[in-house]
Amino acid sequence: MLEVLSKAAAFILMILIGYYSKKKGMFTPTDYQLVAKIILNITLPCAVISSFAHFQMDYSLFAAVVLGLLLNIFMLLVALLLTKRDTNAAKIFYIFSLAGCNIGCFTMPFVQAFLTPFAVIAICMFDVGNSIMCTGMTYALTASCIGYADGTKDKFNVRNIVDKLLHSAPFMVYISMLALSVAGVHFPAPVYTFTNLVGAANPFLSMLMIGMMFEIKLDRRSLGYIKELFAVRYGVCLALAGACLYFAPFAQEVNYVIALGILAPCTIIGPIFVEKLGGNVQLASLFNSITIVVSVLLFTMFFIVTNS
């Protein structure tokens, strides 16, 4: 438990380093854009490749893939329902604050520390469905169906959506690695050695970037958004996690890890997509940071209860 809490505390410290460095003038307010490009195009794709080094497709857990996909779609629809009379900027903020779960950088260390290798496979399968949406599909659909914060919108057709996906490096790498895994193809060991080294920088750069984006400037309306998002995300996710624990037709350990996946914090690349769509990246980063702290507490309580 101490090791896991130490990792979670390290994530929060990385965010604080980014925020403090910006405040002291080490970074300009727009330097996070460079870090975001490095994450999206270099470190995150390498981290995805490394995650498939020992990945084994377990078709008996295919339902976990579907659940990961459906959770993202459901939360996206909830976001649209809550903001149906609001601005595009609010819609964008809600979508990327509700849809998507941080599995690889946050949930995985908990699962590896406390559960069995089979549980690791189960959470990887859940992340397949989750990642299909949060690495590019949600962004492509938002740009075409909702539009940008300034009111402009990409023409809604399959070609535009596919074009957005083709230009999302994390999405393309994830789909390619998934296809190779299904085909039983793996890269030579030196490739994974390289991607391990580069991908290892992804959690630090992601947390640093969130800290660089982070700005506590809340008017009454923004505070209302944060309160509503907090209540909705954790109200819905706690209900779904509880239903999964007691009613999902899987082995108990699989129910555990899917519940953890549901309770995970916001995806770390959500604020990047908010920025690309012209939304309030500072507010998105603030809420992202809040979900990390809350999920640390929820995960700790979860393991205490289930191991008591």
Side-chain angles (χ1 to χ4, degrees):
M1 181 65 74
L2 181 60
E3 180 184 356
V4 175
L5 289 177
S6 296
K7 288 181 179 179
F11 286 158
I12 296 170
L13 181 58
M14 292 172 196
I15 294 173
L16 293 175
I17 289 172
Y19 179 73
Y20 182 78
S21 298
K22 182 185 70 171
K23 286 299 182 182
K24 288 298 180 180
M26 187 180 300
F27 302 122
T28 68
T30 58
D31 279 349
Y32 71 85
Q33 294 173 346
L34 174 60
V35 181
K37 289 179 181 178
I38 294 171
I39 293 168
L40 275 182
N41 297 294
I42 302 175
T43 61
L44 182 55
C46 283
V48 170
I49 293 171
S50 293
S51 71
F52 277 90
H54 304 290
F55 179 78
Q56 293 180 336
M57 180 65 75
D58 188 333
Y59 291 99
S60 68
L61 292 173
F62 186 74
V65 178
V66 177
L67 286 174
L69 188 68
L70 290 179
L71 175 65
N72 275 259
I73 295 172
F74 176 71
M75 295 303 277
L76 192 156
L77 293 175
V78 170
L80 293 178
L81 180 64
L82 291 172
T83 57
K84 60 182 179 180
R85 296 180 181 176
D86 223 319
T87 63
N88 273 13
K91 287 181 172 69
I92 292 165
F93 173 46
Y94 270 58
I95 287 169
F96 290 98
S97 295
L98 291 178
C101 305
N102 186 343
I103 303 298
C105 292
F106 188 90
T107 310
M108 189 65 72
F110 281 85
V111 175
Q112 290 173 324
F114 287 99
L115 299 172
T116 67
F118 182 69
V120 174
I121 294 174
I123 196 64
C124 286
M125 296 294 285
F126 179 84
D127 194 34
V128 169
N130 172 65
S131 294
I132 286 172
M133 294 298 294
C134 69
T135 59
M137 184 65 78
T138 300
Y139 166 63
L141 291 173
T142 302
S144 297
C145 301
I146 306 302
Y148 296 78
D150 61 6
T152 60
K153 184 189 296 187
D154 291 344
K155 187 176 180 180
F156 180 67
N157 56 46
V158 174
R159 182 178 178 179
N160 277 339
I161 293 175
V162 171
D163 184 65
K164 276 280 189 298
L165 294 175
L166 290 175
H167 285 83
S168 173
F171 180 85
M172 291 307 299
V173 170
Y174 208 100
I175 293 299
S176 299
M177 293 304 299
L178 185 60
L180 290 173
S181 179
V182 170
V185 177
H186 292 278
F187 292 130
V191 173
Y192 294 117
T193 299
F194 173 77
T195 58
N196 283 338
L197 289 170
V198 178
N202 192 65
F204 172 70
L205 287 178
S206 299
M207 295 300 111
L208 185 75
M209 178 200 68
I210 289 173
M212 293 166 69
M213 293 175 170
F214 192 86
E215 198 65 53
I216 306 176
K217 291 181 180 179
L218 289 177
D219 54 30
R220 182 172 295 180
R221 190 175 190 181
S222 297
L223 184 60
Y225 285 154
I226 293 289
K227 288 180 178 178
E228 183 175 49
L229 279 170
F230 182 86
V232 171
R233 183 177 179 98
Y234 286 103
V236 171
C237 288
L238 282 169
L240 292 175
C244 181
L245 280 174
Y246 293 104
F247 301 113
F250 307 116
Q252 186 179 52
E253 192 171 41
V254 176
N255 291 348
Y256 281 176
V257 292
I258 292 177
L260 286 173
I262 293 170
L263 295 174
C266 298
T267 173
I268 55 177
I269 58 174
I272 297 177
F273 288 132
V274 170
E275 194 270 339
K276 288 168 73 73
L277 291 165
N280 190 331
V281 70
Q282 288 79 22
L283 203 57
S285 298
L286 173 59
F287 187 73
N288 196 300
S289 304
I290 291 171
T291 65
I292 292 172
V293 176
V294 173
S295 291
V296 168
L297 298 175
L298 288 176
F299 276 37
T300 303
M301 291 170 59
F302 180 90
F303 282 109
I304 290 174
V305 170
T306 55
N307 287 282
S308 61

